[in-house]
Amino acid sequence: MKDTGLHGVDTETPTIFRADCPSRPILDQIADKWSMMVMALLERPTRFNELKRGLEGVTQRVLTQTLRRLERNGMIQRKVLPTSPVGVEYSLTPLGESLREPFGRLYDWTVEHSKEIQNCQRAYDSRADA
């Protein structure tokens, strides 16, 4: 019987991250800073301009592209509202909701270690400048 690690991965065979692995574009999407921030804001159905106001520094074009990719990947859904003018709101799908818990752990880790990381960056930069 083969030895498997924590995630059920064969630990006897060296890991090869193949270029054609279908997980690569998904990880690229999920790990994108704007995608992560959009999904964090979607605690309830939210309109485009409200999302834009909550994401300082995002352009309309980048937010639109991010929302389209998230919708294409099944993480969010877009609903056209019968208002005048027509409005659109975005919400998490069950698949997107399932990402909340692991994303929350990653966010908490980032906040917890941000000072340590910044100190490492400063130390590295000062060595590189010397």
Side-chain angles (χ1 to χ4, degrees), residues 14 28 41 46 81 83 108 118 123:
D28 183 48
L41 287 176
T46 308
L81 304 172
T83 58
D108 291 344
Q118 289 171 337

PDB file of all heavy atoms in Angstrom, residues 14 28 41 46 81 83 108 118 123:
ATOM      1  N   PRO A  14       7.537  11.688  -6.514  1.00  0.00           N
ATOM      2  CA  PRO A  14       7.778  13.135  -6.467  1.00  0.00           C
ATOM      3  C   PRO A  14       6.633  13.912  -7.123  1.00  0.00           C
ATOM      4  O   PRO A  14       6.080  13.485  -8.127  1.00  0.00           O
ATOM      5  CB  PRO A  14       9.075  13.328  -7.256  1.00  0.00           C
ATOM      6  CG  PRO A  14       9.520  12.001  -7.724  1.00  0.00           C
ATOM      7  CD  PRO A  14       8.531  10.974  -7.280  1.00  0.00           C
ATOM      8  N   ASP A  28      -5.193  30.290  -9.955  1.00  0.00           N
ATOM      9  CA  ASP A  28      -4.874  31.648 -10.383  1.00  0.00           C
ATOM     10  C   ASP A  28      -6.053  32.576 -10.102  1.00  0.00           C
ATOM     11  O   ASP A  28      -5.882  33.688  -9.604  1.00  0.00           O
ATOM     12  CB  ASP A  28      -4.507  31.654 -11.865  1.00  0.00           C
ATOM     13  CG  ASP A  28      -4.090  33.028 -12.347  1.00  0.00           C
ATOM     14  OD1 ASP A  28      -3.253  33.665 -11.674  1.00  0.00           O
ATOM     15  OD2 ASP A  28      -4.587  33.455 -13.392  1.00  0.00           O
ATOM     16  N   LEU A  41     -16.408  40.619   0.263  1.00  0.00           N
ATOM     17  CA  LEU A  41     -17.467  41.633   0.353  1.00  0.00           C
ATOM     18  C   LEU A  41     -18.862  41.052   0.136  1.00  0.00           C
ATOM     19  O   LEU A  41     -19.847  41.646   0.553  1.00  0.00           O
ATOM     20  CB  LEU A  41     -17.224  42.747  -0.675  1.00  0.00           C
ATOM     21  CG  LEU A  41     -16.081  43.704  -0.389  1.00  0.00           C
ATOM     22  CD1 LEU A  41     -15.904  44.677  -1.548  1.00  0.00           C
ATOM     23  CD2 LEU A  41     -16.313  44.462   0.907  1.00  0.00           C
ATOM     24  N   THR A  46     -24.997  42.080  -3.518  1.00  0.00           N
ATOM     25  CA  THR A  46     -24.395  43.410  -3.550  1.00  0.00           C
ATOM     26  C   THR A  46     -24.342  43.921  -4.979  1.00  0.00           C
ATOM     27  O   THR A  46     -24.015  43.179  -5.904  1.00  0.00           O
ATOM     28  CB  THR A  46     -22.962  43.351  -2.964  1.00  0.00           C
ATOM     29  OG1 THR A  46     -23.011  42.706  -1.688  1.00  0.00           O
ATOM     30  CG2 THR A  46     -22.369  44.728  -2.809  1.00  0.00           C
ATOM     31  N   LEU A  81     -31.723  43.136 -12.030  1.00  0.00           N
ATOM     32  CA  LEU A  81     -32.870  43.598 -11.245  1.00  0.00           C
ATOM     33  C   LEU A  81     -33.833  44.373 -12.132  1.00  0.00           C
ATOM     34  O   LEU A  81     -33.409  45.166 -12.975  1.00  0.00           O
ATOM     35  CB  LEU A  81     -32.386  44.491 -10.098  1.00  0.00           C
ATOM     36  CG  LEU A  81     -31.364  43.860  -9.161  1.00  0.00           C
ATOM     37  CD1 LEU A  81     -30.829  44.907  -8.188  1.00  0.00           C
ATOM     38  CD2 LEU A  81     -31.981  42.700  -8.417  1.00  0.00           C
ATOM     39  N   THR A  83     -35.319  47.114 -12.320  1.00  0.00           N
ATOM     40  CA  THR A  83     -35.411  48.501 -11.870  1.00  0.00           C
ATOM     41  C   THR A  83     -35.170  49.419 -13.053  1.00  0.00           C
ATOM     42  O   THR A  83     -34.766  48.985 -14.124  1.00  0.00           O
ATOM     43  CB  THR A  83     -34.353  48.781 -10.781  1.00  0.00           C
ATOM     44  OG1 THR A  83     -33.061  48.490 -11.305  1.00  0.00           O
ATOM     45  CG2 THR A  83     -34.600  47.935  -9.539  1.00  0.00           C
ATOM     46  N   ASP A 108      -6.995  35.337   7.981  1.00  0.00           N
ATOM     47  CA  ASP A 108      -6.571  35.446   9.381  1.00  0.00           C
ATOM     48  C   ASP A 108      -5.060  35.240   9.513  1.00  0.00           C
ATOM     49  O   ASP A 108      -4.393  35.957  10.263  1.00  0.00           O
ATOM     50  CB  ASP A 108      -7.312  34.431  10.255  1.00  0.00           C
ATOM     51  CG  ASP A 108      -8.794  34.750  10.397  1.00  0.00           C
ATOM     52  OD1 ASP A 108      -9.206  35.891  10.090  1.00  0.00           O
ATOM     53  OD2 ASP A 108      -9.545  33.841  10.810  1.00  0.00           O
ATOM     54  N   GLN A 118       6.439  41.887   6.842  1.00  0.00           N
ATOM     55  CA  GLN A 118       6.984  43.205   6.517  1.00  0.00           C
ATOM     56  C   GLN A 118       8.400  43.360   7.049  1.00  0.00           C
ATOM     57  O   GLN A 118       9.259  43.935   6.367  1.00  0.00           O
ATOM     58  CB  GLN A 118       6.069  44.302   7.063  1.00  0.00           C
ATOM     59  CG  GLN A 118       4.765  44.402   6.319  1.00  0.00           C
ATOM     60  CD  GLN A 118       3.769  45.333   7.001  1.00  0.00           C
ATOM     61  OE1 GLN A 118       3.837  45.581   8.201  1.00  0.00           O
ATOM     62  NE2 GLN A 118       2.832  45.834   6.204  1.00  0.00           N
ATOM     63  N   ALA A 123      14.253  43.542   5.854  1.00  0.00           N
ATOM     64  CA  ALA A 123      15.579  42.937   6.030  1.00  0.00           C
ATOM     65  C   ALA A 123      16.134  42.484   4.687  1.00  0.00           C
ATOM     66  O   ALA A 123      17.308  42.720   4.383  1.00  0.00           O
ATOM     67  CB  ALA A 123      15.502  41.764   7.004  1.00  0.00           C
TER      68      ALA A 123
END
